Amino acid sequence: MPATASGGARPEEAAVTPSASASVASCMGTRPEELTARLAATGPAPGAGCGGSGAGVGAGGAEAEHERVRALREIKNQIIGNRTKKLLYLRLGAVPAVVAALAEAGASPAALVQAAAAVGSFACGVDDGARAVLAAGAVGHLTRLLTHPDEKVVDASARALRMIYQSRLAPKFDVNNGKNMDFVLSLLNSENENVTELAATIISHSCENSSEQLSLCSAGVPQKLVSLFGGSMNLRDACLDSVTAVIRNNREAASRFASTDRGKGFHSVLGLIHDRSPRTRLLACLCLIALGDASPCHFQDKQIKTKLITVLLELVEEPGDVGDEAPLALTTLIKDSLELQKQALTTNAVEKLSNHLLANSLETRRAVTILLALSELCSKLEESRSQLMSVEVSTLILEALKHDWADIRIAACSCLKNISRSPKVLSGGRLSCDTVIGPLIQLLYDSSTSVQVAALGAICNIAVNLTPRKSLLLHSGVVSQLVHLSKSMDPTLRLKSVWALRNLMFLLCPKDKDFIIKELTLSTLSSLICDSEHFVQEQTLALVHNLVDGYVDSANYVIGEDGMVTDAISRQLNNASSLGVCIQGMFVLANIAAGNESNKEAVMNILLPHRADNIKPSFVVNFLQSKDKQLRVATLWCLLNLIYPKCEASSGRIVRLQNAGVILQVKSMINDPCLDCKLRVRMVLEHCVDNADDCFM
């Protein structure tokens, strides 16, 4: 789950206290059905002028205009912060009538202000509302009103547009288009803070690819945004979020920002991690994290990284969205970094997050984000895992596995996945394999695919580290459900379930291997080898690799049944669709070739099939020429097992390999840059000499 925060996202403005005129209006009926009808009945103001100048209405239309303002104000007051009322007005078709007030050239400033506020509220937090507002053409009318002579109309229009552009449904601004860039720059240069905040919101919403980021950099937008940090808190937060959008995942944009004006922008953002506003501190942290990810060379100061960890841990204590998002930001900061996870450990991050988790309910978004942060903290360090293993936290994680909220179950599985990297944890204590296997297997039947995937991730790790006691897992009913999920229409479920079966098969005794393969069947295995997804193919071949490893009967089983599995392997290796598939396929063949004569011949017929035309060269030569050393090593291992030990059959296979040009290719690899390859090459050539005449050398 990525860490995100929106500088412009904030609650709608509270409804204005009803005035005397509003009280009068209540006598005329304020039920949504009545207000919608009243608004529609007012229609265009009679004698309305042109040009959107806000000219007054004629005397005959004054009463109608006054009635329209009252209806708009009442609708606005009812829907602000009230999702139920918004949905009711949407069903009544009120949005087009509200937007119509914006479209009227001679509408009074009061009507425009109320209509703009209502439009913004409809778009805020409700996708159907945003969809209706966009369909009614509100964006064009509100954009036009940004040049209205009345400042209150401009403010209301800018606020409404900002709410619209906070929706994922809002149109994107292509800033590579010159006119669009000029428009955004004109907004940024406005004297009106609501308008400049709108510009920052548009940039955050629309900046999606590297070319747009670089165009904004070339136009000096990041520097302009930094210059606006001195404005209101809302403007500063919107600008911080916008800077993050411009530099995110773009090395050049991040580098330009960090180095321009001797790093003025970087130091300005750095200073804001000490700001009084918790949201500003969070957004500054997110901006620095984005900078560090995009351009690590500009973010090497260990003290700054430690300070970020400290600030984010403090922000977890803040109420509302800031406290919810802070653990996600921490997760992003330390992800895959052993150095930063060690620094987090020195700041007692595990203890602080655990205490917060224990002190609060699991019924919150913050519990989800804290569990995800704890998961990342335990991904690399044994000491972090040990700290998390208090009885209280362990009990809470087990409770979370059974929670009604899917996000909590997913986060708990993520925690278990990383905790179970430690064999010590699984060998005893509250989170031992005895206590976690049952709940995890139940989650494999969950109605949520995401929960099933998360549970499979934990089971994959447990299966690897549970080697001495795998029978406990095998006879828990997990195998049949894994086989069932391997046939799912969802590719991720297929991948994770096959991965779990592969890990279960690792170093398993022959009896237990037979148990799994009988559940799986060779037919299913063959289908998975030829799956539409390369990753599923690769993991299935790795599963077969573990199956035939050191167990002759398994190899005989695989090459039997009319060659169903070996035919599937042959197809995949001849297609060479993916490097990982080729590597795992060759390791499977190498293991089979280590068996008896029938095994070796079966492999030989895959490498060099007897064909009448004999035109197509063997894929083996291509694999030996591969730039990937692992593929070369796997192929050499296979060849070595085919020609060992010395016997008449081995000599015959050498002749076939020589005639196919394989031995010639091996001879050319005598000085292979990979030492492991060089060793296998010498061994293959030595066995060739032992098995035949010196002509091979």
Side-chain angles (χ1 to χ4, degrees):
M1 204 176 283
T4 58
S6 173
R10 58 178 190 268
E12 300 171 63
E13 288 84 352
V16 179
T17 304
S19 61
S21 60
S23 300
V24 173
S26 66
C27 301
M28 302 173 64
T30 58
R31 292 173 59 244
E33 296 84 353
E34 295 169 331
L35 282 169
T36 303
R38 282 169 53 194
L39 183 60
T42 58
C50 300
S53 63
V57 297
E63 184 58 36
E65 181 68 1
H66 187 54
E67 170 60 19
R68 178 163 60 176
V69 171
R70 286 187 295 187
L72 287 167
R73 181 186 294 114
E74 186 63 36
I75 291 172
K76 176 204 70 177
N77 288 344
Q78 287 188 18
I79 66 174
I80 285 180
N82 191 325
R83 180 183 175 85
T84 303
K85 280 288 179 69
K86 287 182 188 181
L87 294 174
L88 177 55
Y89 275 106
L90 287 171
R91 286 196 296 271
L92 293 170
V95 170
V98 174
V99 174
L102 298 173
E104 224 178 283
S108 67
L112 293 173
V113 168
Q114 297 301 326
V119 165
S121 183
F122 274 120
C124 184
V126 179
D127 281 352
D128 285 344
R131 202 173 282 114
V133 163
L134 292 168
V139 171
H141 300 309
L142 290 168
T143 301
R144 173 177 53 81
L145 291 173
L146 292 176
T147 59
H148 196 281
D150 190 302
E151 196 70 12
K152 290 183 179 179
V153 174
V154 175
D155 284 340
S157 300
R159 284 194 295 267
L161 283 169
R162 178 176 53 77
M163 290 182 186
I164 291 171
Y165 278 106
Q166 285 170 1
S167 167
R168 61 185 178 82
L169 300 173
K172 305 291 182 183
F173 249 74
D174 179 11
V175 294
N176 286 324
N177 178 296
K179 289 184 179 179
N180 286 345
M181 177 67 84
D182 290 342
F183 175 70
V184 170
L185 292 175
S186 70
L187 298 183
L188 273 179
N189 290 318
S190 172
E191 298 286 330
N192 186 312
E193 280 205 354
N194 281 308
V195 175
T196 49
E197 185 180 346
L198 167 63
T201 303
I202 289 174
I203 292 168
S204 298
H205 175 75
S206 302
C207 191
E208 292 187 322
N209 58 55
S210 59
S211 66
E212 290 174 333
Q213 291 171 316
L214 293 176
S215 292
L216 290 165
C217 285
S218 297
V221 167
Q223 289 72 37
K224 179 62 181 177
L225 291 167
V226 169
S227 73
L228 295 171
F229 284 175
S232 67
M233 181 179 67
N234 289 331
L235 176 59
R236 182 174 64 245
D237 289 353
C239 290
L240 265 172
D241 195 45
S242 191
V243 169
T244 304
V246 173
I247 64 175
R248 184 182 289 119
N249 299 325
N250 190 317
R251 178 182 292 273
E252 185 177 348
S255 181
R256 284 194 203 178
F257 175 75
S259 56
T260 300
D261 295 334
R262 297 181 180 179
K264 179 182 177 182
F266 170 74
H267 289 103
S268 296
V269 175
L270 185 60
L272 291 176
I273 66 173
H274 304 289
D275 193 84
R276 292 177 60 185
S277 162
R279 173 153 287 278
T280 300
R281 296 202 299 276
L282 174 63
L283 290 166
C285 287
L286 287 169
C287 189
L288 291 171
I289 291 168
L291 177 67
D293 286 344
S295 184
C297 64
H298 289 98
F299 196 67
Q300 295 180 336
D301 191 318
K302 187 175 179 179
Q303 287 185 331
I304 294 176
K305 295 175 182 178
T306 304
K307 183 61 181 177
L308 281 180
I309 293 170
T310 304
V311 170
L312 289 170
L313 287 172
E314 291 170 353
L315 289 173
V316 174
E317 304 296 329
E318 293 291 334
D321 290 343
V322 170
D324 294 345
E325 294 170 10
L328 280 183
L330 178 63
T331 303
T332 304
L333 174 63
I334 65 174
K335 189 173 179 63
D336 298 326
S337 171
L338 180 60
E339 176 203 354
L340 289 178
Q341 290 181 22
K342 285 181 177 178
Q343 285 180 244
L345 189 64
T346 63
T347 61
N348 297 319
V350 173
E351 181 184 351
K352 290 175 182 177
L353 290 174
S354 298
N355 289 340
H356 192 92
L357 192 64
L358 291 168
N360 294 277
S361 169
L362 280 176
E363 307 288 335
T364 62
R365 172 168 164 73
R366 192 165 315 186
V368 174
T369 58
I370 287 177
L371 280 170
L372 292 174
L374 287 170
S375 171
E376 190 60 39
L377 283 164
C378 293
S379 64
K380 295 183 181 296
L381 294 176
E382 186 71 20
E383 190 175 347
S384 293
R385 297 176 196 131
S386 299
Q387 282 192 13
L388 194 59
M389 286 303 96
S390 70
V391 174
E392 294 86 355
V393 177
S394 301
T395 302
L396 196 66
I397 291 174
L398 288 173
E399 289 175 8
L401 289 174
K402 304 172 185 177
H403 199 275
D404 291 339
W405 190 13
D407 286 354
I408 285 284
R409 300 198 296 277
I410 291 168
C413 286
S414 177
C415 244
L416 274 178
K417 181 183 76 172
N418 286 336
I419 291 170
S420 60
R421 293 174 188 267
S422 168
K424 291 181 182 178
V425 172
L426 296 175
S427 61
R430 191 72 179 92
L431 285 182
S432 68
C433 59
D434 300 341
T435 58
V436 302
I437 285 174
L440 282 174
I441 292 173
Q442 285 302 308
L443 293 181
L444 295 183
Y445 297 87
D446 201 277
S447 58
S448 165
T449 299
S450 298
V451 172
Q452 291 177 306
V453 169
L456 285 168
I459 289 172
C460 280
N461 280 2
I462 290 173
V464 169
N465 291 313
L466 200 62
T467 301
R469 302 177 61 198
K470 280 192 180 177
S471 58
L472 178 69
L473 192 54
L474 282 173
H475 300 293
S476 63
V478 70
V479 175
S480 60
Q481 183 60 6
L482 290 176
V483 171
H484 174 72
L485 292 175
S486 73
K487 302 171 186 177
S488 168
M489 295 297 290
D490 186 286
T492 307
L493 278 179
R494 294 201 304 277
L495 171 65
K496 295 288 186 177
S497 56
V498 171
W499 204 324
L501 287 168
R502 167 201 175 173
N503 289 354
L504 272 175
M505 191 72 78
F506 180 63
L507 297 180
L508 210 56
C509 69
K511 179 183 175 183
D512 289 336
K513 284 185 178 183
D514 287 342
F515 173 75
I516 292 178
I517 205 64
K518 285 176 183 175
E519 286 276 354
L520 186 59
T521 75
L522 291 181
S523 175
T524 302
L525 198 59
S526 302
S527 297
L528 289 168
I529 290 171
C530 297
D531 193 272
S532 58
E533 301 292 328
H534 293 160
F535 292 121
V536 176
Q537 299 169 15
E538 182 180 342
Q539 290 303 319
T540 307
L541 287 167
L543 164 62
V544 180
H545 178 191
N546 288 344
L547 170 64
V548 299
D549 183 25
Y551 184 30
V552 176
D553 286 349
S554 289
N556 291 334
Y557 190 48
V558 166
I559 65 177
E561 295 288 327
D562 299 324
M564 189 186 304
V565 174
T566 51
D567 285 349
I569 295 172
S570 178
R571 282 196 299 276
Q572 295 305 91
L573 293 177
N574 276 288
N575 291 336
S577 54
S578 151
L579 179 62
V581 168
C582 295
I583 291 170
Q584 291 299 336
M586 290 311 300
F587 276 127
V588 169
L589 296 186
N591 277 4
I592 295 175
N596 56 34
E597 276 301 313
S598 62
N599 297 156
K600 293 179 189 293
E601 280 304 308
V603 172
M604 198 67 188
N605 289 331
I606 294 174
L607 301 187
L608 301 173
H610 295 286
R611 285 192 296 258
D613 53 33
N614 201 27
I615 295 174
K616 185 179 178 182
S618 170
F619 58 80
V620 181
V621 174
N622 292 333
F623 287 2
L624 291 171
Q625 294 171 343
S626 171
K627 293 181 180 179
D628 187 89
K629 64 182 180 181
Q630 198 172 5
L631 180 54
R632 298 199 305 276
V633 168
T635 307
L636 288 165
W637 264 119
C638 184
L639 295 177
L640 190 57
N641 287 343
L642 284 172
I643 62 177
Y644 180 85
K646 179 180 178 180
C647 64
E648 184 178 346
S650 294
S651 298
R653 286 190 286 273
I654 290 172
V655 172
R656 287 175 64 187
L657 290 168
Q658 184 190 31
N659 292 339
V662 175
I663 301 300
L664 182 63
Q665 175 59 37
V666 173
K667 288 174 66 177
S668 71
M669 299 168 65
I670 194 71
N671 292 316
D672 194 283
C674 170
L675 291 178
D676 202 4
C677 285
K678 187 182 291 188
L679 175 62
R680 308 302 159 208
V681 165
R682 292 183 183 276
M683 292 173 70
V684 169
L685 294 177
E686 286 170 3
H687 281 297
C688 286
V689 172
D690 288 344
N691 278 279
D693 299 325
D694 290 343
C695 61
F696 290 111
M697 296 299 290

